[in-house]
Amino acid sequence: GDALKKFYLENYEETKKTYKFVKLCIVDADEVKKDAVCFVEREQFLKKQMNYTPISFDEVFSREFLVYFISGIAGIGKTCLLRKCLLDWSNGLIWKNVEFLFYFECRRLNQYQNISNINELLNIFYPNILNDFNIYNHSMMFVIDGLDEFQYLNELINNNSQCQIPIVKVLLDIQKYKSLIAGRINAISQYENILSECNNKLTVQIMGFDENGINCYIEKNVGKETKETLKNIFKESPIAKAMASVPFYLSSMCTIIAESNHRESFFLTMSDLYASIFVYFLKKHINKNNAPVYKMLQEENNKQFVFNVCKTAYHLFIENKVTFSRREIQNIVNSFDEVENELSGFIEKIETDLGCYYQFVHLTIMEFCVSVYAYNYLTCKEIMVNEKLRNCLPMICGLLNKDENSFLKFLADIRI
């Protein structure tokens, strides 16, 4: 286990620095469930987030359970929390009876659907750390990140013994071991149901930053002028202040405002924020002449670029693919070889020992691109009947807002 601990300490050192000031609010998920039978995830979260009794990190992980479930909306800090767990285990602070703690991202598991057993899984993902590892000789625990991104989630939840997908059988076998499963609220809720007979479990939900956490993050990460702009925005817009409790959103706000020439940057709605993030990436990667946004998006080649990004996101999202190969992108965008460098702002290339794969820089960005494509190219009926677009509905509806002071007006008209 020493080699594994060294691996985590070397690879996730940045998480240690981040967690010094990232104080995420963790609450009892059962308390949250009492509020609604059905989640409209983002909307309910923003309204209810501060009404729960927080649980400290130490309180959650000092107790021993067979299964830990951690849920939260996109960008709330689930992955950061899991990596904090890896570091604490490596330093002997939690799960002291666990000899080997293995971390897997579901978006990467999607690439290995033919893995047939746990030993094979471990030897593929940790080839330089484990030599002839046998799972029956050690106490182990598994950490599974991004359950909602698992391509075969429905098959896993249905727990169908007839399922012929090897990686699904492997994840079902992992249920026999101590584990921590993290993902979006609906995915974790569904998965928890198939383990309803397990009494030795803990379910918590991450609610993001509290007010002190927001202030601490801003204090550590931005300059004086940006701080003042953010304070004014939060004072005038309760919605913006609520959005700031989500680490990914707050980080995006800080970056956009710090690098903007327009200090009146404002985020009236989540859709406004998504549009601002989208345009920020565009300006960084294709706006070589530093032209105003309206001029940039009048150029046909730039509209074609936006179309390609959104079309790629849509087709892969509908196929439930959050990681994908070069060939899969080329099947959607014929000119991918020519625009790959420009796409890097939205799509990142991940190198592994077994080759490379691609993914959007954040699932929320992918969903917004999906929403832009759906708004521009699908009918209302096609959108409503497509179950896979359910998470995107708030963003699609947000594109109806064509306020003159919002970037949304440009993205609501990208038909070519």
Side-chain angles (χ1 to χ4, degrees), residues 373-386 389 396 415:
Y373 184 88
Y375 180 87
N376 282 277
Y377 287 93
L378 301 185
T379 65
C380 183
K381 183 176 181 181
E382 287 172 327
I383 291 170
M384 296 306 296
V385 299
N386 193 325
L389 292 177
I396 295 172
R415 295 184 66 88

Side-chain angles (χ1 to χ4, degrees), residues 78-137:
K78 298 183 291 296
T79 296
C80 181
L81 183 70
L82 297 193
R83 291 178 178 177
K84 157 80 169 162
C85 291
L86 297 180
L87 292 175
D88 279 8
W89 172 76
S90 300
N91 286 313
L93 301 177
I94 59 173
W95 303 324
K96 297 178 182 179
N97 295 327
V98 175
E99 292 179 74
F100 289 89
L101 180 68
F102 296 108
Y103 172 70
F104 298 99
E105 295 175 312
C106 283
R107 57 171 55 191
R108 287 199 64 198
L109 292 178
N110 291 337
Q111 302 295 306
Y112 302 97
Q113 64 182 51
N114 293 320
I115 290 177
S116 58
N117 58 65
I118 294 176
N119 261 330
E120 184 183 357
L121 177 72
L122 297 179
N123 286 312
I124 284 178
F125 278 80
Y126 295 94
N128 301 319
I129 297 173
L130 306 176
N131 295 310
D132 300 319
F133 186 80
N134 191 316
I135 61 175
Y136 301 108
N137 298 335

Side-chain angles (χ1 to χ4, degrees), residues 274-284 293 296 407 411:
Y274 297 141
S276 296
I277 297 170
F278 188 96
V279 169
Y280 171 76
F281 284 144
L282 279 180
K283 291 171 72 175
K284 290 285 283 186
V293 173
M296 178 178 70
F407 289 131
L411 300 176

